[in-house]
Amino acid sequence: MAIRLRLLILLVAILCVESKYMVYNTSQTIVPGKINVHLVAHTHDDVGWLKTVDQYYVGSNNSIQGACVQNVLDSIVPALLADKNRKFIYAFFQRWWRDQSEEVQSIVKQLVSSGQLELINGGMCMHDEAATHYIDMIDQTTLGHRFIKEEFGVTPRIGWQIDPFGHSAVQAYLLGAELGFDSLFFGRIDYQDRAKRKNEKSLEVIWRGSKSLGSSAQIFAGTFPDAYEPPSDSFYFEIDDYSPIIQDDFNLFDYNVQDRVNDFVATAISQANITRTNHIMWTMGGDFKYQYARTWFRQMDKLIHYVNQDGHVNALYSTPSIYTDAKYAINESWQIKTDDFFPYGEKENAYWTGYFTSRPALKGYVRMLSGYYLAARQLEFFKGRSDSGAKMDILADALAIAQHHDAVTGTERQHVADDYARHLSIGYEEAEKVVAASLACMVESTPKTGCRSPCPLLNISYCPPSEVDLSHGKNLVVVVYNSLGWNREDVIRIPVINANITVLDSGGKEIESQLLPLANASVGIRNFYAMAHLGKVPSVTPEYWLAFSASVPPLGFSTYVISSSKRAAATSGIQTVHKSKGNQNNTIEVGPGNLKLIYSGKEGKITHYINSRSKVKEFVEQSYSFYSGNDGSEDLQASGAYVSRPNGTHPIKSDGQVSFTVLRGPLLDEVHQRINSWIYQQITRVYKGKEHAEVEFTVGPIPIDDGIGKEIVTQITTTMKNNKAFYTDSNGRDFLERIRDYRKDWRLEVDQPIAGNYYPINLGIYMKDNRTELSILVDRSVGGSSIVDGQLELMLHRRLLRDDDKGIAEALDETVCVLDECTGLTIQGKYYLRIDPLGEGARWRRSFGQETYSPFLLAFTEQDGNSWKKSHIQTFSEIDPSYSLPDNVAMITLQELEDGTVLLRLAHLYEVGEDKDLSVMASVELKKLFPNKKINKIAEMSLSANQERAEMEMKRLVWKVEGSSPEEPKVSRGGPVDSTKLVVELAPMEIRTFIINFSH
Amino acid sequence: MAIRLRLLILLVAILCVESKYMVYNTSQTIVPGKINVHLVAHTHDDVGWLKTVDQYYVGSNNSIQGACVQNVLDSIVPALLADKNRKFIYAFFQRWWRDQSEEVQSIVKQLVSSGQLELINGGMCMHDEAATHYIDMIDQTTLGHRFIKEEFGVTPRIGWQIDPFGHSAVQAYLLGAELGFDSLFFGRIDYQDRAKRKNEKSLEVIWRGSKSLGSSAQIFAGTFPDAYEPPSDSFYFEIDDYSPIIQDDFNLFDYNVQDRVNDFVATAISQANITRTNHIMWTMGGDFKYQYARTWFRQMDKLIHYVNQDGHVNALYSTPSIYTDAKYAINESWQIKTDDFFPYGEKENAYWTGYFTSRPALKGYVRMLSGYYLAARQLEFFKGRSDSGAKMDILADALAIAQHHDAVTGTERQHVADDYARHLSIGYEEAEKVVAASLACMVESTPKTGCRSPCPLLNISYCPPSEVDLSHGKNLVVVVYNSLGWNREDVIRIPVINANITVLDSGGKEIESQLLPLANASVGIRNFYAMAHLGKVPSVTPEYWLAFSASVPPLGFSTYVISSSKRAAATSGIQTVHKSKGNQNNTIEVGPGNLKLIYSGKEGKITHYINSRSKVKEFVEQSYSFYSGNDGSEDLQASGAYVSRPNGTHPIKSDGQVSFTVLRGPLLDEVHQRINSWIYQQITRVYKGKEHAEVEFTVGPIPIDDGIGKEIVTQITTTMKNNKAFYTDSNGRDFLERIRDYRKDWRLEVDQPIAGNYYPINLGIYMKDNRTELSILVDRSVGGSSIVDGQLELMLHRRLLRDDDKGIAEALDETVCVLDECTGLTIQGKYYLRIDPLGEGARWRRSFGQETYSPFLLAFTEQDGNSWKKSHIQTFSEIDPSYSLPDNVAMITLQELEDGTVLLRLAHLYEVGEDKDLSVMASVELKKLFPNKKINKIAEMSLSANQERAEMEMKRLVWKVEGSSPEEPKVSRGGPVDSTKLVVELAPMEIRTFIINFSH
């Protein structure tokens, strides 16, 4: 042991001394009056991109990209121990952490608490800001922040979104200020914007991302002069990097200390010339750097030592926190920035707006599971968290990682996309067990086997549990769970094989139902994709969709029993119109309720939207086009996974076989249209009780026989005079005004009239004129725009044959294979269209938006005879039966945490001024929300629940802004929660986060 | 301090545990009866190749090659500390060592003494084995071995010549067995040879490299099945390497333990199938690997753990020592291998025989300084070593590094060759100060300013100290030092500007001298290269070479005084014959002494060699040719720095201006010939007192206007019937028989009839028939052969325009630039030709060979009037005036070491049976060698002087060879040295090394 200890002491020497003859002075701190160069050592380790997250971690598949995160973390620890002045920042490392011994963990905790190792951003990943929903962003950040809090007792202070491809308002105010962050740094903004900001020294600003929350949720935001790498080619120090190292040994040739110092000083001065205050930050790292951390520190030690010896500028090891505090200490006033940083034009003709739509199937899967995860956590909470918590964690992790800026964005390689999907699928499978167990507990009087049997493939009309033969006395029980805080009525559609069936509601009363024949096109998709994903064609083919209307209480369920019957359910009336059948000048009116869609019988096209209640009547056309993808032959800038660069707009004409079939019934009418051979099904549904049209499109395989990649868009054309303006949401939350060919922050040079006007959509897009507003809501993130007045368009699918030169080195050419034959991926999705009188659209966008995010959760079981009703609860709500959430509030998180406390998040759904009735302070009565539980203690937390809100507010830096007057309008916020009354107030756009202790 | 200590304890944890959940068992040792896979972790760090040695060390110039030796060594130490089972071998690391703190040094010493870090080979570099002189090999190895002995107290046991391009007999017996090595491993042997050895399981043999020393100097030698890298693409673990890592975490995807184990086992079995015994070695590393050592050990830990769990084969951390001992323990008998492994045919049409000649200027510089360094150390010893030792070390280091297998070989990039030359030049400058000071001490009665002023550029006829105007009464004193152990007479030639001068010998007597006009061609070279190297054309141009004969005692000097005189020295008679002047059928006889060369007046060509004393008369022709270099268009295998691949043989015809001029005089005759515009000077000299011809050639710039690279050769053609046989030396020591188109070890498939018959020459080449033998000695290492019977050829110069695909990625196209204009490099060199009656050639080859290696060392000073003689010693020998070394013995080292002891090496110059009189036991009387000093203690050492010879003999492993009988002929060796008599016996080819303590 003595020898071992002696060895230990010697060991430190290895780590502490770089060289026998030279001890570098790295202890420098800020020197006022000098240019202070903050050297921020960092590595940017994508959780999946060219390789899967697992491959990046262990360093396999290096032929694709030489990258091993384990190396980074293994080597950073001794490098930091070697010199206490050295600092490093890291954005995630949970996986490595899990593998470390307790002793290593102790060392790392010390490094974190001393500030040598700063954990920044702190989410599970550096999420994207365009294709992500704010609930997912919050969830993944919470997961990371709580982990860091538990392990290290620290709360990250810095937003570090260095790589995402444009930056959202929600990121700034919600996932920035509301987390308690003091600053937010990022790398990518429009090239024209950046040029102007360099000139104006406004790369660093105060960003006020929310109109509603204004100055109460602003943040110091800095974009780098360039990317997030060292400021010039001369300062890269990865193993094998090319930069000139500092050779300070007189015994060797090429001694170059003064040269290197001069280079450093010149580079610093040039950056100082475009930066406000005398503090500049150098991001000393990059993608998967620091694989042998010592290589960087060895050179930075020398730079700091010799540059400070030289004295022209001051160089120091720093972190974004130190840098932020230094900026704050100067007491400077900063420009205000509002709205967001979309779209991201990297350079002329390189607009990163294609990825808003890239990989629509993955985007759809993420969105579906996002809503599912919200409901599943509710159900887990109701049942009570047990060891099942671990099961839910898998989905939590998979969803968190899927928010990465090379995951849901669609900018990863194909095998990596497959890996994300695989993780999500495994997560879903595990979560589903929790859901089943929970539903069983709720439904059964005495818990038994439960009622599992979900239908994740319902989108391809495949649902084995509903496709049962009911002709021999079996009943099918459908349990319908509503995760919203409101009572809700919605039409359920499931495939069935019997025609003669009836539906009984929770009270045992037969309700209206409707059978819609399964279209041939749907059967084709069903068989092909079942074969592709399950390896077999289903043996039974259902003939019908059964539709019936379900009504479910808030946070509750209802059960419906489907059984055979002598007589058939109402089958839909069918009317098929073939264009080829000659000119039919008649018009066709579709819709069993207030909303009527008018089609021209001649062309089989929609012409008008008429709401008999609201008296809205609008001319409407719908069409498809494609943009041919630029092949990059001109300047290497092709259209690809990231970049949209249309090389021509091509309206998609009918191929002569346009037909449409109308199915009519008591609950809904459907219009089936075939556009061409690869948009061979579009179904427009108009429900009796709804005032929007639902459009289900089936696009693909996109043809590429002509060697040209294509982006498929659909346009809704009206005669509205929107005057270039339209509105898109920021991560599904605030709506931002967009004006075609215009940017608020600079005078735009238009080089890409289409791609340069595209914006990300997570909730919806709308436009208005002085009479009406037209809204479209989406079922996943997509790109959209208004390229000509009166028109909105969505990009639905993309298939491109060239790499767009952003590092992925693979074309975005998604295929699906059966046996050895692969064809282009077909995408099925929905959007929802509604036209309201001006000022009345928000209510639908907000409340129906929640419904699309949180569809009914269905579970199936079979029963023999009528025993079900006796042994099971038929309908139930977890909240007070007299209560539901206010129309302007949604519960976006309800989750039992590991320690038994409960995480509750309530969100006001409206912005200031958005709706004349609902953009007001709302109140939620917690006692009625949890009627069966006693709230013992409630603490309001920061958004990520890693610190109490009050503490966060106290620590927050208050920045000065240019030209701000003391009489700025007061921002409205809900008041403190009285622990007796337990009423939560929510001001417009406010999200409040609580940790609740319930009594047991 | 408490915290610091706690930190220390925690610190070990980092290094000791790879993972929290997995502790790998790496403690495996040899398991009898199983295939034992010895994982030998190593890195192969060239001391210069694509980058300079300094650049490799610090990792600069990474754009050329990503390589930083500092990384390797910095990271290997913690990696070894982390697990005591891990082992590593390293071949040199002096520079890093110098930079380390004492604490790090202590840790490393522990690692070395525990065997975890094994220092192998132990020289300053892994020297080449073709282009190196044995004295240089011994010197560089001694430097390394003594350093290791001093710092670590260990003596390397293993020869590790993994990369050199073929392997020499001298390496095996002298730089192997005579160092006390127990084994020698290497990577490169002929592809046909390797294939046969794999079949026969004879990759490992007992190599008996010396005919004379036989079994007393044999060594276990193993060549690898392939190169010196891991056995398949699957086992490379550098950062960013492509091999599949072992993924053993069930929580991640791609778990692959069994796959990787199976791959390991299959690879091991396949190697075991071609290996004798059940021990196989895997060389786990390669060029500049282990930059972050942990990446390799992390995977090898897992391999050892899981492979042994699997149990099919046994895997262990090992070293070449452990492997050697395991081989030895098996008590197997091994095949005998004699001679060497030249030439190295890597594959069909890829014979690495071009490098025998590549960069002839660098090769010449190395050889010149090698002889100089030997003399300089003698002079330093005579004066007494002082702080000047450090000065000599620079040359010692530079020469040592220049022996590297990418240095003197000419296979480095141009800027690296320049760097070696620069280091050598600096070394020379410093050594020259020691020489000057020492000569001053010896020459001056009372030490004064000394007599510096050497002439390193004498080869371009530039010698400022001799080019002084003596017409005004100044005298030029020339001090001539003889570093050989014999009295010696030789003609000195120096450029002078006065014609009317006389030369006085040490006794003040005027001696015969001769003036030879400086040819125009020589003036051209002088001016151009002076401009290139010194930046100016000399202001004075000498008109003559002054020649006079100097006689100098062994290890002593003589002085000669040159002064103006009324009458001129004997000017040479000049006879110029122009071929164009019509047919002159007369012959021209050249030579003032016994040797006459006969030229045909008609063609201006040599026709006969006649020695009137020995009665030898031979028909002789001399010619030049070039081989056009293959451009690689066929199969990428071009001629280049390494590879010779002639694409056609082109005799060099006169361009119509052939002329020759004969200069005659009392001391020597010179024949000046112009061959063509780029071999525009060849001077053949015949000295009165010598029986060989000296040929000075000037070749270049080699024309490349035709886009074709060329290799220039000269042939000596006779009517001798040598029957395919010829003889070349091994590193300047033993002569080996070569037979054209034939190999002793296998049935040769001839694919390259020229390149495949080339051999390296350091001393000389000869052939014989039943009457005579024709010998050629060289002034540097070159390649040579006998391509047709009766002919010998030397490759003199090479200029090639393609890279030969061996990694250098640069064509061997040497140029020299004046201002911005560059032309191909011109090479000036000499060879010496002699024809003896059969059996009489060895004496000249051996004794004159020593003279070419150790030419007179000249120093100059000026004097006014006749004062010199009074105040200076005129002639002196350091040894007993009555004594000189025997004709068959040379003193190859005489050097005072740092501790004041003296290193003495004596070498017998003849092989067994080489000369009827001189291949006998010789004796050296040390008392007469050091008449003025008392030998206090003498210890015979191993060749590298790092251990006593007796100790080495005792430790040496004695291997069994196949078919050896106990009655093998007894090998003759000199007996022990009696400390009273102090007589050293030397058997043929024996080299004995002593450390002597002199009394003060």
Side-chain angles (χ1 to χ4, degrees), chain A residues 133-147:
Chain A
H133 193 278
Y134 75 96
I135 295 179
D136 288 329
M137 295 163 93
I138 293 171
D139 281 344
Q140 83 88 9
T141 305
T142 301
L143 207 57
H145 278 198
R146 288 188 58 84
F147 162 77

Side-chain angles (χ1 to χ4, degrees), chain A residues 722-833:
Chain A
N722 65 317
N723 198 21
K724 296 189 175 181
F726 57 105
Y727 302 83
T728 63
D729 63 277
S730 179
N731 303 113
R733 192 120 179 98
D734 308 60
F735 275 96
L736 303 184
E737 185 182 50
R738 312 299 190 179
I739 296 171
R740 188 167 61 252
D741 293 341
Y742 174 82
R743 304 285 190 274
K744 281 185 188 144
D745 288 356
W746 76 96
R747 189 185 181 83
L748 178 70
E749 288 284 334
V750 178
D751 48 32
Q752 282 287 318
I754 295 165
N757 282 309
Y758 253 71
Y759 291 88
I761 300 171
N762 280 280
L763 171 56
I765 179 171
Y766 71 92
M767 62 179 172
K768 58 187 183 187
D769 65 8
N770 52 10
R771 293 182 301 109
T772 54
E773 49 190 285
L774 183 154
S775 310
I776 298 174
L777 299 189
V778 296
D779 66 344
R780 71 195 68 190
S781 63
V782 299
S785 186
S786 171
I787 299 297
V788 297
D789 266 6
Q791 188 184 82
L792 291 181
E793 80 173 37
L794 301 177
M795 187 173 291
L796 303 179
H797 195 6
R798 317 177 73 224
R799 188 179 188 189
L800 296 161
L801 307 179
R802 297 285 187 284
D803 174 60
D804 56 2
D805 202 27
K806 304 306 167 206
I808 190 173
E810 191 179 87
L812 181 74
D813 180 12
E814 293 182 285
T815 59
V816 59
C817 304
V818 166
L819 301 178
D820 286 340
E821 206 172 322
C822 300
T823 54
L825 182 68
T826 297
I827 287 294
Q828 192 182 74
K830 291 177 188 167
Y831 61 89
Y832 309 91
L833 172 73

Side-chain angles (χ1 to χ4, degrees), chain A residues 354-641:
Chain A
Y355 85 93
F356 299 157
T357 297
S358 295
R359 301 193 185 279
L362 179 64
K363 284 181 164 76
Y365 196 40
V366 168
R367 181 61 46 85
M368 180 187 105
L369 291 178
S370 175
Y372 185 84
Y373 177 55
L374 185 150
R377 279 178 293 174
Q378 294 176 354
L379 289 167
E380 183 189 39
F381 164 70
F382 295 143
K383 173 175 169 289
R385 182 186 167 107
S386 63
D387 56 353
S388 67
K391 294 200 180 89
M392 196 69 96
D393 290 350
I394 299 175
L395 180 57
D397 282 350
L399 264 175
I401 298 301
Q403 310 308 318
H404 169 56
H405 60 274
D406 287 308
V408 69
T409 51
T411 56
E412 65 284 63
R413 287 209 179 175
Q414 185 60 50
H415 77 105
V416 179
D418 295 343
D419 185 69
Y420 289 124
R422 185 166 54 155
H423 277 279
L424 288 168
S425 163
I426 292 170
Y428 168 75
E429 295 275 351
E430 293 300 314
E432 203 278 317
K433 294 173 191 161
V434 181
V435 166
S438 185
L439 280 176
C441 281
M442 292 165 72
V443 170
E444 297 180 19
S445 316
T446 50
K448 276 195 296 186
T449 47
C451 56
R452 202 175 160 189
S453 297
C455 282
L457 296 179
L458 197 58
N459 66 330
I460 58 164
S461 323
Y462 183 53
C463 181
S466 75
E467 298 168 15
V468 290
D469 187 353
L470 301 176
S471 57
H472 304 296
K474 267 220 165 69
N475 295 325
L476 176 67
V477 180
V478 185
V479 180
V480 184
Y481 178 71
N482 172 22
S483 59
L484 295 183
W486 317 303
N487 189 66
R488 173 174 176 190
E489 194 145 336
D490 222 341
V491 171
I492 288 172
R493 287 189 308 116
I494 53 176
V496 294
I497 59 176
N498 304 90
N500 297 338
I501 48 178
T502 58
V503 181
L504 307 180
D505 71 7
S506 305
K509 200 161 60 79
E510 181 175 343
I511 58 170
E512 197 166 38
S513 61
Q514 179 178 349
L515 284 175
L516 299 100
L518 199 63
N520 285 342
S522 300
V523 174
I525 289 185
R526 170 189 157 100
N527 289 343
F528 185 76
Y529 278 84
M531 187 70 193
H533 291 300
L534 307 173
K536 58 175 184 185
V537 173
S539 55
V540 180
T541 302
E543 286 190 56
Y544 301 101
W545 285 100
L546 168 69
F548 63 92
S549 187
S551 173
V552 190
L555 299 173
F557 66 88
S558 297
T559 53
Y560 292 85
V561 178
I562 300 164
S563 50
S564 71
S565 151
K566 290 273 144 52
R567 59 189 172 73
T571 46
S572 306
I574 301 178
Q575 173 189 16
T576 302
V577 181
H578 292 284
K579 187 191 161 199
S580 52
K581 281 186 172 174
N583 290 351
Q584 290 136 313
N585 283 321
N586 60 321
T587 59
I588 298 160
E589 187 183 280
V590 175
N594 294 334
L595 173 60
K596 305 287 180 200
L597 300 183
I598 312 300
Y599 287 79
S600 108
K602 180 181 175 190
E603 299 194 87
K605 282 189 167 176
I606 189 170
T607 60
H608 289 86
Y609 175 107
I610 302 172
N611 185 326
S612 57
R613 180 193 58 76
S614 65
K615 311 300 177 205
V616 161
K617 176 175 178 179
E618 276 293 335
F619 166 84
V620 170
E621 282 190 342
Q622 188 234 357
S623 55
Y624 286 88
S625 301
F626 71 84
Y627 300 127
S628 46
N630 193 300
D631 66 2
S633 55
E634 195 181 326
D635 55 5
L636 291 178
Q637 188 51 67
S639 286

Side-chain angles (χ1 to χ4, degrees), chain B residues 180-240:
Chain B
F181 282 177
D182 282 318
S183 57
L184 168 63
F185 296 97
F186 44 88
R188 299 184 185 274
I189 65 168
D190 185 279
Y191 70 105
Q192 298 178 17
D193 194 8
R194 193 194 297 273
K196 179 163 178 256
R197 288 178 186 279
K198 283 182 175 181
N199 264 338
E200 289 178 350
K201 295 191 175 186
S202 62
L203 288 167
E204 295 173 319
V205 294
I206 300 300
W207 189 355
R208 206 171 268 178
S210 166
K211 286 190 299 284
S212 302
L213 298 178
S215 62
S216 78
Q218 69 191 17
I219 192 167
F220 178 83
T223 189
F224 306 133
D226 202 353
Y228 48 84
E229 299 200 334
S232 91
D233 284 350
S234 300
F235 302 102
Y236 283 76
F237 302 117
E238 193 69 2
I239 283 189
D240 296 352

